[in-house]
Amino acid sequence: MTAGGPWDWKKRLNSLHFNSGLRQQSARWLLLLSSCLESIGIDEAMLRLRLLTWDVKDTLIRLRHPVGENYSAEARVHGIQVEPEALNKCFHQAYKIQSKHFPNYGLNRGLSSKQWWVDVVKQTFRLSGVHEDTVLAPIAEKLYQDFCIACNWEVLPGATETLRQCSQQGIRMAVISNFDKRLEKILSQCDLRHHFEFVLTSEDAGFAKPDQRIFLKALRISGVAPQLAAHVGDDYMKDYRAAREVGMHSFLLKRAGQANTWESDVPEEHLLPSLPHLLSVIKKD
């Protein structure tokens, strides 16, 4: 609450000394005024929105198991034994290299998102010592399809209820996510797709967060001015700051045990200790 709000009236009320009838009468009036202002002040303090956009991975859903476990299980089907921990480490290496050389699925280099991911899978196994292309091709194809299936994803605590209540308030919602075209199917499989007017992935937009153009495209699609829109995500640069740079409001989801170097740069009222906390700070315009 800003200075001059009902909480300041309470402070003034508490400073009064009840040693005269006039002061007692003033105190009673201030108490009534404080009560009235507080009853509307909470509502006035809430951010009025017409559009709420969401990051998805690690904000609304997350992988049910580490990537290495899925890769190791599929390899065993083909008679290859590689430890999940080794594959997990190699995956992160392969993903980092691929993202550096071919950002946003290599769309500007003529790749498809599927080919991009197939190459990541193959390189993950090569880094772990598996080089037989005749085996790697079917493994990569199967894993690409598997990550569309709901059993490999879990909805994060509070996500379903928060989305439901935002929908009930009449707040329009959409997705802005650094993801490929499989996201629509994943959201449907997780029973979340119906909450959103549209799903804008970095593959669809041609730009990945924190590029401002993906946020601007979402605003154009929705027809909503940035000051009446807010974005929710778990990444300081790609979600919180990027949205604010185009004039949107934004909230940063703070996970327990999450290491960060940005906390001093984010006002407490912009931090979400949990998704349901969002419901106490926004309302439909």
Side-chain angles (χ1 to χ4, degrees):
M1 179 60 65
T2 57
W7 279 263
D8 287 330
W9 282 99
K10 279 188 170 183
K11 291 178 182 178
R12 295 175 193 178
L13 177 59
N14 291 333
S15 70
L16 291 173
H17 300 286
F18 300 103
N19 55 4
S20 71
L22 179 59
R23 288 183 182 272
Q24 289 178 1
Q25 185 178 18
S26 298
R28 285 194 294 269
W29 278 107
L30 280 174
L31 182 61
L32 177 61
L33 181 58
S34 175
S35 177
C36 291
L37 286 174
E38 186 167 342
S39 68
I40 65 171
I42 294 173
D43 181 71
E44 288 179 344
M46 296 176 77
L47 181 63
R48 294 175 177 269
L49 298 175
R50 294 184 183 174
L51 177 70
L52 184 61
T53 63
W54 294 83
D55 173 52
V56 174
K57 186 176 180 293
D58 297 324
T59 297
L60 296 174
I61 63 174
R62 66 186 170 198
L63 287 170
R64 195 174 294 274
H65 307 288
V67 169
E69 292 186 16
N70 296 78
Y71 280 38
S72 180
E74 185 60 29
R76 286 196 298 273
V77 173
H78 294 266
I80 297 172
Q81 298 291 330
V82 188
E83 290 299 317
E85 294 78 9
L87 284 169
N88 209 50
K89 181 178 179 181
C90 292
F91 167 79
H92 289 294
Q93 293 175 359
Y95 181 88
K96 184 177 181 179
I97 292 169
Q98 187 81 334
S99 296
K100 180 179 179 180
H101 292 162
F102 304 99
N104 199 25
Y105 308 112
L107 301 178
N108 293 332
R109 302 283 296 275
L111 291 179
S112 67
S113 59
K114 180 177 180 180
Q115 184 58 55
W116 192 94
W117 277 113
V118 165
D119 289 346
V120 169
V121 175
K122 289 182 177 179
Q123 186 60 16
T124 296
F125 279 98
R126 290 181 186 125
L127 288 171
S128 70
V130 180
H131 299 278
E132 296 86 350
D133 282 339
T134 54
V135 177
L136 293 181
I139 289 176
E141 176 67 27
K142 182 64 163 54
L143 286 170
Y144 178 81
Q145 299 300 331
D146 280 353
F147 281 98
C148 288
I149 301 172
C151 65
N152 285 317
W153 298 90
E154 61 181 357
V155 178
L156 286 164
T160 299
E161 181 62 18
T162 301
L163 292 173
R164 186 186 67 80
Q165 291 198 40
C166 287
S167 294
Q168 286 183 342
Q169 287 188 38
I171 297 174
R172 297 169 61 191
M173 292 191 291
V175 162
I176 302 177
S177 177
N178 287 356
F179 217 102
D180 59 69
K181 61 186 179 182
R182 294 175 295 175
L183 186 56
E184 290 263 6
K185 183 176 180 180
I186 292 168
L187 288 170
S188 295
Q189 290 262 325
C190 294
D191 197 28
L192 298 179
R193 176 62 183 88
H194 62 283
H195 291 293
F196 307 110
E197 286 190 12
F198 61 89
V199 173
L200 183 60
T201 66
S202 57
E203 181 175 12
D204 294 328
F207 316 108
K209 298 179 296 184
D211 194 311
Q212 295 182 15
R213 290 174 289 182
I214 192 171
F215 291 94
L216 293 172
K217 184 166 185 176
L219 292 170
R220 284 196 300 271
I221 292 171
S222 66
V224 173
Q227 63 269 24
L228 293 173
H231 181 72
V232 181
D234 71 312
D235 189 285
Y236 172 67
M237 292 297 297
K238 296 177 182 178
D239 293 309
Y240 179 78
R241 280 196 57 179
R244 289 188 170 266
E245 286 175 359
V246 301
M248 295 173 66
H249 302 277
S250 61
F251 297 96
L252 186 64
L253 182 62
K254 183 180 179 182
R255 296 292 181 195
Q258 181 182 35
N260 67 76
T261 58
W262 42 254
E263 192 161 349
S264 61
D265 297 329
V266 182
E268 186 177 353
E269 59 267 27
H270 298 167
L271 289 172
L272 301 178
S274 67
L275 287 176
H277 182 77
L278 180 69
L279 300 168
S280 66
V281 294
I282 66 168
K283 67 173 296 182
K284 183 180 182 296
D285 179 68

mmCIF file with all atom_site columns, all heavy atoms in Angstrom, residues 49-69:
data_model
loop_
_atom_site.group_PDB
_atom_site.id
_atom_site.type_symbol
_atom_site.label_atom_id
_atom_site.label_alt_id
_atom_site.label_comp_id
_atom_site.label_asym_id
_atom_site.label_entity_id
_atom_site.label_seq_id
_atom_site.pdbx_PDB_ins_code
_atom_site.Cartn_x
_atom_site.Cartn_y
_atom_site.Cartn_z
_atom_site.occupancy
_atom_site.B_iso_or_equiv
_atom_site.pdbx_formal_charge
_atom_site.auth_seq_id
_atom_site.auth_comp_id
_atom_site.auth_asym_id
_atom_site.auth_atom_id
_atom_site.pdbx_PDB_model_num
ATOM 1   N N   . LEU A 1 49 ? -5.847 -5.713  -14.662 1.00 0.00 ? 49 LEU A N   1
ATOM 2   C CA  . LEU A 1 49 ? -5.298 -6.261  -15.899 1.00 0.00 ? 49 LEU A CA  1
ATOM 3   C C   . LEU A 1 49 ? -6.389 -6.645  -16.886 1.00 0.00 ? 49 LEU A C   1
ATOM 4   O O   . LEU A 1 49 ? -7.504 -6.982  -16.493 1.00 0.00 ? 49 LEU A O   1
ATOM 5   C CB  . LEU A 1 49 ? -4.476 -7.520  -15.595 1.00 0.00 ? 49 LEU A CB  1
ATOM 6   C CG  . LEU A 1 49 ? -3.255 -7.381  -14.708 1.00 0.00 ? 49 LEU A CG  1
ATOM 7   C CD1 . LEU A 1 49 ? -2.672 -8.755  -14.428 1.00 0.00 ? 49 LEU A CD1 1
ATOM 8   C CD2 . LEU A 1 49 ? -2.219 -6.478  -15.352 1.00 0.00 ? 49 LEU A CD2 1
ATOM 9   N N   . ARG A 1 50 ? -6.024 -6.620  -18.157 1.00 0.00 ? 50 ARG A N   1
ATOM 10  C CA  . ARG A 1 50 ? -6.875 -7.193  -19.199 1.00 0.00 ? 50 ARG A CA  1
ATOM 11  C C   . ARG A 1 50 ? -6.242 -8.440  -19.807 1.00 0.00 ? 50 ARG A C   1
ATOM 12  O O   . ARG A 1 50 ? -6.927 -9.236  -20.423 1.00 0.00 ? 50 ARG A O   1
ATOM 13  C CB  . ARG A 1 50 ? -7.132 -6.153  -20.297 1.00 0.00 ? 50 ARG A CB  1
ATOM 14  C CG  . ARG A 1 50 ? -7.953 -4.970  -19.817 1.00 0.00 ? 50 ARG A CG  1
ATOM 15  C CD  . ARG A 1 50 ? -8.276 -4.008  -20.935 1.00 0.00 ? 50 ARG A CD  1
ATOM 16  N NE  . ARG A 1 50 ? -8.994 -2.851  -20.433 1.00 0.00 ? 50 ARG A NE  1
ATOM 17  C CZ  . ARG A 1 50 ? -9.301 -1.788  -21.172 1.00 0.00 ? 50 ARG A CZ  1
ATOM 18  N NH1 . ARG A 1 50 ? -8.939 -1.745  -22.447 1.00 0.00 ? 50 ARG A NH1 1
ATOM 19  N NH2 . ARG A 1 50 ? -9.955 -0.780  -20.636 1.00 0.00 ? 50 ARG A NH2 1
ATOM 20  N N   . LEU A 1 51 ? -4.923 -8.571  -19.639 1.00 0.00 ? 51 LEU A N   1
ATOM 21  C CA  . LEU A 1 51 ? -4.221 -9.724  -20.204 1.00 0.00 ? 51 LEU A CA  1
ATOM 22  C C   . LEU A 1 51 ? -3.137 -10.186 -19.240 1.00 0.00 ? 51 LEU A C   1
ATOM 23  O O   . LEU A 1 51 ? -2.368 -9.384  -18.721 1.00 0.00 ? 51 LEU A O   1
ATOM 24  C CB  . LEU A 1 51 ? -3.586 -9.363  -21.553 1.00 0.00 ? 51 LEU A CB  1
ATOM 25  C CG  . LEU A 1 51 ? -2.766 -10.471 -22.224 1.00 0.00 ? 51 LEU A CG  1
ATOM 26  C CD1 . LEU A 1 51 ? -3.683 -11.594 -22.713 1.00 0.00 ? 51 LEU A CD1 1
ATOM 27  C CD2 . LEU A 1 51 ? -1.940 -9.906  -23.382 1.00 0.00 ? 51 LEU A CD2 1
ATOM 28  N N   . LEU A 1 52 ? -3.081 -11.499 -19.041 1.00 0.00 ? 52 LEU A N   1
ATOM 29  C CA  . LEU A 1 52 ? -2.044 -12.118 -18.217 1.00 0.00 ? 52 LEU A CA  1
ATOM 30  C C   . LEU A 1 52 ? -1.363 -13.183 -19.058 1.00 0.00 ? 52 LEU A C   1
ATOM 31  O O   . LEU A 1 52 ? -2.009 -14.128 -19.520 1.00 0.00 ? 52 LEU A O   1
ATOM 32  C CB  . LEU A 1 52 ? -2.669 -12.745 -16.968 1.00 0.00 ? 52 LEU A CB  1
ATOM 33  C CG  . LEU A 1 52 ? -1.732 -13.360 -15.930 1.00 0.00 ? 52 LEU A CG  1
ATOM 34  C CD1 . LEU A 1 52 ? -0.787 -12.300 -15.360 1.00 0.00 ? 52 LEU A CD1 1
ATOM 35  C CD2 . LEU A 1 52 ? -2.533 -14.012 -14.815 1.00 0.00 ? 52 LEU A CD2 1
ATOM 36  N N   . THR A 1 53 ? -0.064 -13.008 -19.301 1.00 0.00 ? 53 THR A N   1
ATOM 37  C CA  . THR A 1 53 ? 0.671  -13.996 -20.089 1.00 0.00 ? 53 THR A CA  1
ATOM 38  C C   . THR A 1 53 ? 1.562  -14.827 -19.178 1.00 0.00 ? 53 THR A C   1
ATOM 39  O O   . THR A 1 53 ? 2.019  -14.359 -18.136 1.00 0.00 ? 53 THR A O   1
ATOM 40  C CB  . THR A 1 53 ? 1.520  -13.331 -21.196 1.00 0.00 ? 53 THR A CB  1
ATOM 41  O OG1 . THR A 1 53 ? 2.518  -12.484 -20.600 1.00 0.00 ? 53 THR A OG1 1
ATOM 42  C CG2 . THR A 1 53 ? 0.637  -12.507 -22.124 1.00 0.00 ? 53 THR A CG2 1
ATOM 43  N N   . TRP A 1 54 ? 1.812  -16.049 -19.611 1.00 0.00 ? 54 TRP A N   1
ATOM 44  C CA  . TRP A 1 54 ? 2.516  -17.019 -18.765 1.00 0.00 ? 54 TRP A CA  1
ATOM 45  C C   . TRP A 1 54 ? 3.690  -17.657 -19.491 1.00 0.00 ? 54 TRP A C   1
ATOM 46  O O   . TRP A 1 54 ? 3.579  -18.044 -20.660 1.00 0.00 ? 54 TRP A O   1
ATOM 47  C CB  . TRP A 1 54 ? 1.564  -18.144 -18.360 1.00 0.00 ? 54 TRP A CB  1
ATOM 48  C CG  . TRP A 1 54 ? 0.446  -17.734 -17.467 1.00 0.00 ? 54 TRP A CG  1
ATOM 49  C CD1 . TRP A 1 54 ? -0.748 -17.177 -17.833 1.00 0.00 ? 54 TRP A CD1 1
ATOM 50  C CD2 . TRP A 1 54 ? 0.420  -17.840 -16.039 1.00 0.00 ? 54 TRP A CD2 1
ATOM 51  N NE1 . TRP A 1 54 ? -1.523 -16.940 -16.720 1.00 0.00 ? 54 TRP A NE1 1
ATOM 52  C CE2 . TRP A 1 54 ? -0.834 -17.338 -15.606 1.00 0.00 ? 54 TRP A CE2 1
ATOM 53  C CE3 . TRP A 1 54 ? 1.310  -18.327 -15.081 1.00 0.00 ? 54 TRP A CE3 1
ATOM 54  C CZ2 . TRP A 1 54 ? -1.211 -17.301 -14.266 1.00 0.00 ? 54 TRP A CZ2 1
ATOM 55  C CZ3 . TRP A 1 54 ? 0.942  -18.296 -13.749 1.00 0.00 ? 54 TRP A CZ3 1
ATOM 56  C CH2 . TRP A 1 54 ? -0.310 -17.782 -13.351 1.00 0.00 ? 54 TRP A CH2 1
ATOM 57  N N   . ASP A 1 55 ? 4.779  -17.791 -18.783 1.00 0.00 ? 55 ASP A N   1
ATOM 58  C CA  . ASP A 1 55 ? 5.807  -18.759 -19.141 1.00 0.00 ? 55 ASP A CA  1
ATOM 59  C C   . ASP A 1 55 ? 5.231  -20.141 -18.793 1.00 0.00 ? 55 ASP A C   1
ATOM 60  O O   . ASP A 1 55 ? 4.274  -20.240 -18.014 1.00 0.00 ? 55 ASP A O   1
ATOM 61  C CB  . ASP A 1 55 ? 7.076  -18.484 -18.337 1.00 0.00 ? 55 ASP A CB  1
ATOM 62  C CG  . ASP A 1 55 ? 8.135  -19.540 -18.529 1.00 0.00 ? 55 ASP A CG  1
ATOM 63  O OD1 . ASP A 1 55 ? 8.470  -19.839 -19.680 1.00 0.00 ? 55 ASP A OD1 1
ATOM 64  O OD2 . ASP A 1 55 ? 8.622  -20.075 -17.507 1.00 0.00 ? 55 ASP A OD2 1
ATOM 65  N N   . VAL A 1 56 ? 5.801  -21.198 -19.333 1.00 0.00 ? 56 VAL A N   1
ATOM 66  C CA  . VAL A 1 56 ? 5.246  -22.536 -19.057 1.00 0.00 ? 56 VAL A CA  1
ATOM 67  C C   . VAL A 1 56 ? 6.216  -23.424 -18.278 1.00 0.00 ? 56 VAL A C   1
ATOM 68  O O   . VAL A 1 56 ? 5.947  -23.793 -17.132 1.00 0.00 ? 56 VAL A O   1
ATOM 69  C CB  . VAL A 1 56 ? 4.811  -23.235 -20.364 1.00 0.00 ? 56 VAL A CB  1
ATOM 70  C CG1 . VAL A 1 56 ? 4.371  -24.678 -20.068 1.00 0.00 ? 56 VAL A CG1 1
ATOM 71  C CG2 . VAL A 1 56 ? 3.659  -22.473 -21.007 1.00 0.00 ? 56 VAL A CG2 1
ATOM 72  N N   . LYS A 1 57 ? 7.346  -23.766 -18.888 1.00 0.00 ? 57 LYS A N   1
ATOM 73  C CA  . LYS A 1 57 ? 8.242  -24.729 -18.255 1.00 0.00 ? 57 LYS A CA  1
ATOM 74  C C   . LYS A 1 57 ? 8.829  -24.156 -16.972 1.00 0.00 ? 57 LYS A C   1
ATOM 75  O O   . LYS A 1 57 ? 9.385  -23.066 -16.953 1.00 0.00 ? 57 LYS A O   1
ATOM 76  C CB  . LYS A 1 57 ? 9.362  -25.147 -19.203 1.00 0.00 ? 57 LYS A CB  1
ATOM 77  C CG  . LYS A 1 57 ? 10.236 -26.265 -18.639 1.00 0.00 ? 57 LYS A CG  1
ATOM 78  C CD  . LYS A 1 57 ? 11.274 -26.719 -19.632 1.00 0.00 ? 57 LYS A CD  1
ATOM 79  C CE  . LYS A 1 57 ? 12.125 -27.836 -19.047 1.00 0.00 ? 57 LYS A CE  1
ATOM 80  N NZ  . LYS A 1 57 ? 12.963 -27.379 -17.918 1.00 0.00 ? 57 LYS A NZ  1
ATOM 81  N N   . ASP A 1 58 ? 8.665  -24.880 -15.887 1.00 0.00 ? 58 ASP A N   1
ATOM 82  C CA  . ASP A 1 58 ? 9.116  -24.531 -14.544 1.00 0.00 ? 58 ASP A CA  1
ATOM 83  C C   . ASP A 1 58 ? 8.348  -23.354 -13.939 1.00 0.00 ? 58 ASP A C   1
ATOM 84  O O   . ASP A 1 58 ? 8.724  -22.852 -12.878 1.00 0.00 ? 58 ASP A O   1
ATOM 85  C CB  . ASP A 1 58 ? 10.626 -24.248 -14.512 1.00 0.00 ? 58 ASP A CB  1
ATOM 86  C CG  . ASP A 1 58 ? 11.435 -25.481 -14.883 1.00 0.00 ? 58 ASP A CG  1
ATOM 87  O OD1 . ASP A 1 58 ? 11.013 -26.589 -14.508 1.00 0.00 ? 58 ASP A OD1 1
ATOM 88  O OD2 . ASP A 1 58 ? 12.463 -25.345 -15.564 1.00 0.00 ? 58 ASP A OD2 1
ATOM 89  N N   . THR A 1 59 ? 7.273  -22.952 -14.621 1.00 0.00 ? 59 THR A N   1
ATOM 90  C CA  . THR A 1 59 ? 6.335  -21.984 -14.046 1.00 0.00 ? 59 THR A CA  1
ATOM 91  C C   . THR A 1 59 ? 4.991  -22.653 -13.829 1.00 0.00 ? 59 THR A C   1
ATOM 92  O O   . THR A 1 59 ? 4.418  -22.577 -12.745 1.00 0.00 ? 59 THR A O   1
ATOM 93  C CB  . THR A 1 59 ? 6.172  -20.754 -14.960 1.00 0.00 ? 59 THR A CB  1
ATOM 94  O OG1 . THR A 1 59 ? 7.426  -20.073 -15.068 1.00 0.00 ? 59 THR A OG1 1
ATOM 95  C CG2 . THR A 1 59 ? 5.128  -19.784 -14.400 1.00 0.00 ? 59 THR A CG2 1
ATOM 96  N N   . LEU A 1 60 ? 4.496  -23.328 -14.864 1.00 0.00 ? 60 LEU A N   1
ATOM 97  C CA  . LEU A 1 60 ? 3.228  -24.056 -14.762 1.00 0.00 ? 60 LEU A CA  1
ATOM 98  C C   . LEU A 1 60 ? 3.424  -25.567 -14.750 1.00 0.00 ? 60 LEU A C   1
ATOM 99  O O   . LEU A 1 60 ? 2.688  -26.287 -14.069 1.00 0.00 ? 60 LEU A O   1
ATOM 100 C CB  . LEU A 1 60 ? 2.309  -23.668 -15.925 1.00 0.00 ? 60 LEU A CB  1
ATOM 101 C CG  . LEU A 1 60 ? 1.851  -22.206 -15.965 1.00 0.00 ? 60 LEU A CG  1
ATOM 102 C CD1 . LEU A 1 60 ? 1.077  -21.939 -17.254 1.00 0.00 ? 60 LEU A CD1 1
ATOM 103 C CD2 . LEU A 1 60 ? 0.991  -21.872 -14.756 1.00 0.00 ? 60 LEU A CD2 1
ATOM 104 N N   . ILE A 1 61 ? 4.387  -26.043 -15.518 1.00 0.00 ? 61 ILE A N   1
ATOM 105 C CA  . ILE A 1 61 ? 4.664  -27.483 -15.563 1.00 0.00 ? 61 ILE A CA  1
ATOM 106 C C   . ILE A 1 61 ? 6.167  -27.705 -15.504 1.00 0.00 ? 61 ILE A C   1
ATOM 107 O O   . ILE A 1 61 ? 6.954  -26.796 -15.768 1.00 0.00 ? 61 ILE A O   1
ATOM 108 C CB  . ILE A 1 61 ? 4.094  -28.148 -16.839 1.00 0.00 ? 61 ILE A CB  1
ATOM 109 C CG1 . ILE A 1 61 ? 4.773  -27.571 -18.091 1.00 0.00 ? 61 ILE A CG1 1
ATOM 110 C CG2 . ILE A 1 61 ? 2.585  -27.987 -16.904 1.00 0.00 ? 61 ILE A CG2 1
ATOM 111 C CD1 . ILE A 1 61 ? 4.374  -28.267 -19.383 1.00 0.00 ? 61 ILE A CD1 1
ATOM 112 N N   . ARG A 1 62 ? 6.558  -28.927 -15.160 1.00 0.00 ? 62 ARG A N   1
ATOM 113 C CA  . ARG A 1 62 ? 7.969  -29.284 -15.161 1.00 0.00 ? 62 ARG A CA  1
ATOM 114 C C   . ARG A 1 62 ? 8.106  -30.748 -15.555 1.00 0.00 ? 62 ARG A C   1
ATOM 115 O O   . ARG A 1 62 ? 7.136  -31.517 -15.497 1.00 0.00 ? 62 ARG A O   1
ATOM 116 C CB  . ARG A 1 62 ? 8.593  -29.065 -13.784 1.00 0.00 ? 62 ARG A CB  1
ATOM 117 C CG  . ARG A 1 62 ? 8.053  -29.973 -12.696 1.00 0.00 ? 62 ARG A CG  1
ATOM 118 C CD  . ARG A 1 62 ? 8.598  -29.608 -11.332 1.00 0.00 ? 62 ARG A CD  1
ATOM 119 N NE  . ARG A 1 62 ? 7.898  -30.335 -10.264 1.00 0.00 ? 62 ARG A NE  1
ATOM 120 C CZ  . ARG A 1 62 ? 7.914  -29.965 -8.995  1.00 0.00 ? 62 ARG A CZ  1
ATOM 121 N NH1 . ARG A 1 62 ? 8.568  -28.884 -8.617  1.00 0.00 ? 62 ARG A NH1 1
ATOM 122 N NH2 . ARG A 1 62 ? 7.256  -30.670 -8.083  1.00 0.00 ? 62 ARG A NH2 1
ATOM 123 N N   . LEU A 1 63 ? 9.310  -31.131 -15.947 1.00 0.00 ? 63 LEU A N   1
ATOM 124 C CA  . LEU A 1 63 ? 9.562  -32.529 -16.263 1.00 0.00 ? 63 LEU A CA  1
ATOM 125 C C   . LEU A 1 63 ? 9.394  -33.380 -15.010 1.00 0.00 ? 63 LEU A C   1
ATOM 126 O O   . LEU A 1 63 ? 9.835  -33.004 -13.923 1.00 0.00 ? 63 LEU A O   1
ATOM 127 C CB  . LEU A 1 63 ? 10.967 -32.699 -16.829 1.00 0.00 ? 63 LEU A CB  1
ATOM 128 C CG  . LEU A 1 63 ? 11.174 -32.188 -18.254 1.00 0.00 ? 63 LEU A CG  1
ATOM 129 C CD1 . LEU A 1 63 ? 12.652 -32.201 -18.600 1.00 0.00 ? 63 LEU A CD1 1
ATOM 130 C CD2 . LEU A 1 63 ? 10.381 -33.020 -19.256 1.00 0.00 ? 63 LEU A CD2 1
ATOM 131 N N   . ARG A 1 64 ? 8.775  -34.537 -15.176 1.00 0.00 ? 64 ARG A N   1
ATOM 132 C CA  . ARG A 1 64 ? 8.537  -35.412 -14.036 1.00 0.00 ? 64 ARG A CA  1
ATOM 133 C C   . ARG A 1 64 ? 9.822  -36.074 -13.563 1.00 0.00 ? 64 ARG A C   1
ATOM 134 O O   . ARG A 1 64 ? 9.998  -36.344 -12.367 1.00 0.00 ? 64 ARG A O   1
ATOM 135 C CB  . ARG A 1 64 ? 7.499  -36.476 -14.425 1.00 0.00 ? 64 ARG A CB  1
ATOM 136 C CG  . ARG A 1 64 ? 6.898  -37.224 -13.255 1.00 0.00 ? 64 ARG A CG  1
ATOM 137 C CD  . ARG A 1 64 ? 5.791  -38.142 -13.734 1.00 0.00 ? 64 ARG A CD  1
ATOM 138 N NE  . ARG A 1 64 ? 4.658  -37.416 -14.267 1.00 0.00 ? 64 ARG A NE  1
ATOM 139 C CZ  . ARG A 1 64 ? 3.648  -36.942 -13.537 1.00 0.00 ? 64 ARG A CZ  1
ATOM 140 N NH1 . ARG A 1 64 ? 3.646  -37.108 -12.234 1.00 0.00 ? 64 ARG A NH1 1
ATOM 141 N NH2 . ARG A 1 64 ? 2.646  -36.299 -14.106 1.00 0.00 ? 64 ARG A NH2 1
ATOM 142 N N   . HIS A 1 65 ? 10.732 -36.347 -14.501 1.00 0.00 ? 65 HIS A N   1
ATOM 143 C CA  . HIS A 1 65 ? 12.001 -36.991 -14.169 1.00 0.00 ? 65 HIS A CA  1
ATOM 144 C C   . HIS A 1 65 ? 13.142 -36.257 -14.866 1.00 0.00 ? 65 HIS A C   1
ATOM 145 O O   . HIS A 1 65 ? 12.923 -35.612 -15.895 1.00 0.00 ? 65 HIS A O   1
ATOM 146 C CB  . HIS A 1 65 ? 12.007 -38.462 -14.624 1.00 0.00 ? 65 HIS A CB  1
ATOM 147 C CG  . HIS A 1 65 ? 10.837 -39.256 -14.140 1.00 0.00 ? 65 HIS A CG  1
ATOM 148 N ND1 . HIS A 1 65 ? 10.705 -39.631 -12.821 1.00 0.00 ? 65 HIS A ND1 1
ATOM 149 C CD2 . HIS A 1 65 ? 9.754  -39.749 -14.803 1.00 0.00 ? 65 HIS A CD2 1
ATOM 150 C CE1 . HIS A 1 65 ? 9.572  -40.317 -12.684 1.00 0.00 ? 65 HIS A CE1 1
ATOM 151 N NE2 . HIS A 1 65 ? 8.981  -40.401 -13.859 1.00 0.00 ? 65 HIS A NE2 1
ATOM 152 N N   . PRO A 1 66 ? 14.354 -36.356 -14.344 1.00 0.00 ? 66 PRO A N   1
ATOM 153 C CA  . PRO A 1 66 ? 15.502 -35.780 -15.050 1.00 0.00 ? 66 PRO A CA  1
ATOM 154 C C   . PRO A 1 66 ? 15.622 -36.375 -16.448 1.00 0.00 ? 66 PRO A C   1
ATOM 155 O O   . PRO A 1 66 ? 15.300 -37.548 -16.667 1.00 0.00 ? 66 PRO A O   1
ATOM 156 C CB  . PRO A 1 66 ? 16.693 -36.184 -14.172 1.00 0.00 ? 66 PRO A CB  1
ATOM 157 C CG  . PRO A 1 66 ? 16.111 -36.404 -12.821 1.00 0.00 ? 66 PRO A CG  1
ATOM 158 C CD  . PRO A 1 66 ? 14.738 -36.948 -13.045 1.00 0.00 ? 66 PRO A CD  1
ATOM 159 N N   . VAL A 1 67 ? 16.074 -35.561 -17.387 1.00 0.00 ? 67 VAL A N   1
ATOM 160 C CA  . VAL A 1 67 ? 16.180 -35.996 -18.783 1.00 0.00 ? 67 VAL A CA  1
ATOM 161 C C   . VAL A 1 67 ? 16.994 -37.282 -18.907 1.00 0.00 ? 67 VAL A C   1
ATOM 162 O O   . VAL A 1 67 ? 16.644 -38.181 -19.686 1.00 0.00 ? 67 VAL A O   1
ATOM 163 C CB  . VAL A 1 67 ? 16.818 -34.873 -19.635 1.00 0.00 ? 67 VAL A CB  1
ATOM 164 C CG1 . VAL A 1 67 ? 17.197 -35.387 -21.010 1.00 0.00 ? 67 VAL A CG1 1
ATOM 165 C CG2 . VAL A 1 67 ? 15.867 -33.695 -19.756 1.00 0.00 ? 67 VAL A CG2 1
ATOM 166 N N   . GLY A 1 68 ? 18.064 -37.390 -18.141 1.00 0.00 ? 68 GLY A N   1
ATOM 167 C CA  . GLY A 1 68 ? 18.925 -38.567 -18.242 1.00 0.00 ? 68 GLY A CA  1
ATOM 168 C C   . GLY A 1 68 ? 18.206 -39.868 -17.980 1.00 0.00 ? 68 GLY A C   1
ATOM 169 O O   . GLY A 1 68 ? 18.548 -40.911 -18.558 1.00 0.00 ? 68 GLY A O   1
ATOM 170 N N   . GLU A 1 69 ? 17.198 -39.855 -17.106 1.00 0.00 ? 69 GLU A N   1
ATOM 171 C CA  . GLU A 1 69 ? 16.447 -41.077 -16.818 1.00 0.00 ? 69 GLU A CA  1
ATOM 172 C C   . GLU A 1 69 ? 15.646 -41.529 -18.035 1.00 0.00 ? 69 GLU A C   1
ATOM 173 O O   . GLU A 1 69 ? 15.587 -42.727 -18.348 1.00 0.00 ? 69 GLU A O   1
ATOM 174 C CB  . GLU A 1 69 ? 15.525 -40.858 -15.621 1.00 0.00 ? 69 GLU A CB  1
ATOM 175 C CG  . GLU A 1 69 ? 16.267 -40.672 -14.307 1.00 0.00 ? 69 GLU A CG  1
ATOM 176 C CD  . GLU A 1 69 ? 15.328 -40.592 -13.117 1.00 0.00 ? 69 GLU A CD  1
ATOM 177 O OE1 . GLU A 1 69 ? 14.145 -40.982 -13.250 1.00 0.00 ? 69 GLU A OE1 1
ATOM 178 O OE2 . GLU A 1 69 ? 15.780 -40.127 -12.048 1.00 0.00 ? 69 GLU A OE2 1
#
